Amino acid sequence: MQAPSFAQSRSDQTLGMVIVIGLHVLAGAGLLMLAQPVLQQMLPPTFQVRFLTEQPKLETIAPPQPEPPKPLPVKQQVVQPRQVQPKPAPAPVIQADAPAAPDAPVMTAPPAPKDMPPAAPAPSAAQPAQEAYQEPRHDADYLRNPNPAYPRASRSLGEEGTVRLRIEVSAEGKPLQVLIEKTSGFPRLDRAAQETVASSWRFTPARKGQQAVAAWVIVPVTFSLNR
């Protein structure tokens, strides 16, 4: 066999390179077609700019019209009627009476009766003098009212004081009610004074004028250890 020539080998290499390049181009085109959707998503969106040739119409707003001035109120003038002063009446003309005849009697009217003065009130009867009042008494010598007995327990405990009794005395001088007006501070002393006055005391009854009447009287009863 004969060895291939240099020119033939050279053409074979060129043909191989053309085939390889064509295959690369076809592979690149295929890859580009596959990657086109991805590239479209990656590319920023396109904006279309349109130039407006027509200018927008501006609405003209009419300025507010001022309100017409209100008419001023018309003051009503009150026309007062003119006061017409009455003309003074002419003074009456006094005509002198003709002198009476000397022989004619002069008649005079009787004087008008004057009001009678009111009758003086009748003198009232003299009021009787107020009758003197005298309170009941318990210290008359003839009464001989005994002192209350000193309770032994109070004496041993050193209890002493003054009890004020409020007593209703009858018209006969007997004690009807014996109440404690102010305590001595010790119930035993108060009870001893109250029981003694109610059972043993007699009084000079109160008098209104000459009449004996029932009345109330305050009597102090003192308990003292020094007596």
Side-chain angles (χ1 to χ4, degrees):
M1 293 180 64
Q2 294 181 0
S5 61
F6 178 77
Q8 187 176 358
S9 60
R10 185 75 176 174
S11 61
D12 293 338
Q13 291 179 359
T14 302
L15 181 60
M17 291 178 64
V18 170
I19 293 172
V20 171
I21 291 172
L23 292 175
H24 280 82
V25 170
L26 291 176
L31 291 173
L32 183 61
M33 292 178 64
L34 293 175
Q36 186 176 3
V38 179
L39 292 175
Q40 288 181 357
Q41 294 180 359
M42 295 176 63
L43 291 176
T46 58
F47 298 94
Q48 294 182 1
V49 180
R50 295 181 180 179
F51 295 96
L52 300 176
T53 57
E54 295 181 0
Q55 296 182 357
K57 294 182 180 180
L58 299 177
E59 296 181 359
T60 57
I61 301 174
Q65 296 182 0
E67 297 181 359
K70 297 180 179 180
L72 297 176
V74 180
K75 295 183 178 179
Q76 297 181 358
Q77 296 181 357
V78 180
V79 180
Q80 297 182 355
R82 183 179 298 177
Q83 296 180 358
V84 179
Q85 296 182 355
K87 294 181 180 181
V93 179
I94 302 175
Q95 296 180 359
D97 296 335
D103 296 337
V106 179
M107 302 296 294
T108 57
K114 296 182 179 180
D115 296 336
M116 297 295 294
S124 58
Q127 298 291 336
Q130 186 175 4
E131 297 178 350
Y133 175 78
Q134 184 179 359
E135 291 185 352
R137 295 183 58 184
H138 70 284
D139 53 355
D141 294 337
Y142 69 90
L143 296 175
R144 298 179 182 179
N145 289 324
N147 293 326
Y150 216 118
R152 293 182 180 180
S154 297
R155 188 180 293 275
S156 61
L157 294 174
E159 298 176 353
E160 59 181 358
T162 300
V163 55
R164 293 171 60 88
L165 300 177
R166 188 167 182 262
I167 308 166
E168 183 184 7
V169 180
S170 67
E172 290 78 17
K174 296 180 180 180
L176 300 178
Q177 298 185 61
V178 181
L179 307 177
I180 297 176
E181 178 75 12
K182 184 179 180 181
T183 179
S184 63
F186 301 99
R188 276 187 293 268
L189 299 180
D190 297 345
R191 186 167 54 252
Q194 189 176 15
E195 291 176 354
T196 301
V197 171
S199 60
S200 304
W201 279 28
R202 292 296 180 266
F203 294 82
T204 300
R207 288 188 176 276
K208 191 173 183 181
Q210 299 298 326
Q211 184 179 2
V213 293
W216 288 87
V217 66
I218 302 295
V219 176
V221 178
T222 302
F223 291 87
S224 176
L225 297 174
N226 297 329
R227 293 183 179 180

